Amino acid sequence: MVFIFGDILRAHSLRNQLSCTFSQDDPSGNFVNEVQRALKRQTHIQDVANGIQTRNALGNVFSRFVDSPKASVIKSVLDSLLAEVGAAGISEACMNSTNLMLAAAINKDQWALRMIDAIGKPPSGILDFNLKWLGNYDECLETEVSVLDNSTGLVSEPFEPQYCQASFYLGQNPAAVMTGGYIIVNIGMCLPDKCDNNSASLVAQRLIQLIPLNFTKSIPPPGMVCQNNHLPWSSSAVAAIVLCCVFIALMVTATVYDALCQYVWIPTNKLSDEKYADYGTKEADSIIGNGHVSNGHVSNGHVSNGHVSNGHVSYGAVSNGPYRYFGDGHANDSFIADAQDLSAKHVSHHKADLKEIKYDIPANSKKYTPGVLGKLLLSFSVLTNARKILNTDQPSQTLTSVNGIRFISMTWVVLGHTYVFGLGVVGNTATILPKFFKRFSFQCISNAFFAVDTFFVLSGLLVAYLTLREMDKRGGAKKFSWGMYYFHRIWRLTPPYMLVMFVYTTLINHWGNGPMWPQQGFDPNNCNTWWMNLLYINNFQDSKTMCMGWSWYLANDMQFYIISPLILVLLFYSRIGGVILSVAFVIGNFISAGVVTNAHNFSANMLVRNRDEEGDPFALLYIKPWTRIGPYIVGLLTGYVLYKTKCKVTMSKIVNIIGWILAAGLAIAILYGLYSDDGTIKFNKATTAFYNATSRTVWGACVAWVVFACATGYGGPVNALLSWKGIVPLSRLTYCCYLVHPIVMYTYYYTQRQQMYWFDLEVSYTFLGHLCMTYGVAFIVSLAFESPMMGLENVILGRAKKH
């Protein structure tokens, strides 16, 4: 049946070509639009048809087609289906509307032919498992059903077309890797919206059974999903829209208020003779107001929380200076405060900025200073928050190489997920995947999983380095504010995380459409397990029910952060004790990962699965903290070394060169050691267990060496590249990038009208598009959700500490 429909499609294409030719000579526009306008005016359908035939002779085309031998076959098949459809157990409403559609197709009504034309048909590449025949989604939904009412002579619209997708199970074949070894043919159907999923399934079954092939007679009813043309808005979706409107209103109001503060409500008396001088501590203190950035505090010295995103030192150690002339704790390009000097009320000068311009504010001049409510509102200012994000200045003693590593790792994550998330919409996977895996260069993409281990290293390193410095400054662990240690991390990460989750899970089904778009959303059970994400324990639940599956990393990182004081306090008071405990954690990581790999016969790469694997490697090996903590411990120990040495280490050139060669060699071995010319992994069971047990920790050690060498002055050109100031703003967006990048990819991939055909240039463009869009969306999310939380923390905690 579907093969016969191909003739209708070709005739329909000829009609479109003729219509285009006609419209070029007709000043009134495309004739199809005229037909539709006429139908909407309830014009008699026969008059419309006669008008079309007279003007462009399309009637002759259709008449020749209908009079052909194949047309009689089509009519016979439709008549058979018309007779069968009433006995199929279909709902009455679906049966009536389907009968109407089939009868109209026999009568050559254009709308019915368009609906049939929109049904999916077999393309090329079936032997390569190109088994998603999606049809024409837009043609289906844009068809206007117009039926002549003989009693009144008017045209009515008894139903709307709806797009459905039928999944026919045809057997098993191990080569069908994308469907778990099952041969499933997905056919797009254009059916009346009076048919629910069950009735539509029975209609599709009857349609397939009429195909004159033996195997079609025994095909069971397919799985059917029909899309809702008018998807209802849930109460949670409405709440998400209201929430977004509230944040937008706050951002607009705060930005206007901020502009007034900075550019309107300022003293008008300035130095008349335009003298230039360098302000000392006293003058700077009088200009700033309270002499402190972020209300005189540095959030307990936690310049960074060491997370994948919030590890940038400039957010914690400095709020990029105060406002111009105001002591309100917000950003200004003219002042960059050093965390080491804040307690002395000293503001360091960036280069020669303050030596060039001086404004003299007389004592009797009045300047506007925002109050507490004003400062809270200013936390939402786009003007200030954008300046914070885009500022490239950083305080002293900042591990600047971390910025470059973080950006490169985020880019690596986007690259890997470009392939992984896109496989579900690619029609040539059976051809392209073996080709990819046979390439030596593809190993860095198939092993992009190690980018997450890089983030674990950076997180542990910054937590140890900054926390130990603060403990030393305060005189030991007992005087250290552990409450603020945990509050700071939770406050900085959780609000943006939960806000993105809320908006994503409630609105995702409304902001896209297409034949592959899941109207129920991408997460199971409407993310009803969100509370596990809130508690950062979602990596312990069934991975198939996890909300925002990529958030497993956030749960692991928070769990590592929570237990870090066990090692940090011990390292602070007893180097040997801390190292012993750290080594114990690493050995436990080795044992657990090796045992799990051996027991379930997991592969060394999740993308190349063993046929006799037992269980899910993602759930059992990839997301559990006891199999991933190794790189984080390496980061903690590296941060401890940098703290003890104060980043001042003397190494000979030979030792430095050996360190770089060893780190580079091990990293290359880990990434490319799995390669074989046929794309398979040649490791035996024991070697695979050893690789899975140790590779992530060894990779972490390689990354730790890069940071250590750059921080101690032995990075050379590598440090110059990683510390480039242009990377700093991109580094600050890493957290929001991680939160939103799968959402950006889902939106692009699953709004495709046809399956994608991948080749190198296509994937390259797709990756670059994902990367740019991810950072663009992340910038907006950071302005709306992340940066305001930081500003609120600074204002609230600063006021509390004053009292």
Side-chain angles (χ1 to χ4, degrees), residues 2 104 127 168 184 190 200 227 246 305 373 460 470 475 527 548 559 659 665 698 727 745 788:
V2 291
L127 297 181
F168 293 90
I184 300 176
C190 189
Q227 297 192 7
V246 170
N305 55 27
L373 293 179
E470 184 66 15
C527 247
M548 288 177 61
Q559 291 157 14
V698 174
I727 297 179
M745 293 183 184

Side-chain angles (χ1 to χ4, degrees), residues 720-756:
L721 175 63
L722 297 178
S723 301
W724 179 49
K725 283 191 173 184
I727 297 179
V728 174
L730 299 175
S731 176
R732 292 196 180 109
L733 294 172
T734 305
Y735 181 44
C736 289
C737 282
Y738 189 82
L739 288 177
V740 304
H741 81 277
I743 303 174
V744 171
M745 293 183 184
Y746 285 155
T747 303
Y748 172 76
Y749 282 135
Y750 288 91
T751 53
Q752 298 293 314
R753 269 34 183 180
Q754 296 293 333
Q755 286 190 289
M756 300 181 70

Side-chain angles (χ1 to χ4, degrees), residues 241-257 377 380-382 784-785:
I241 294 176
V242 172
L243 178 67
C244 291
C245 291
V246 170
F247 271 85
I248 292 173
L250 285 172
M251 292 167 65
V252 171
T253 304
T255 303
V256 172
Y257 179 59
L377 178 61
F380 293 87
S381 170
V382 173
F785 296 154

Side-chain angles (χ1 to χ4, degrees), residues 498 530-538 555 558-559 562:
M498 291 296 105
W530 60 269
W531 58 272
M532 301 190 75
N533 297 71
L534 177 62
L535 298 176
Y536 294 94
I537 57 174
N538 49 300
M558 180 62 76
Q559 291 157 14
I562 291 173

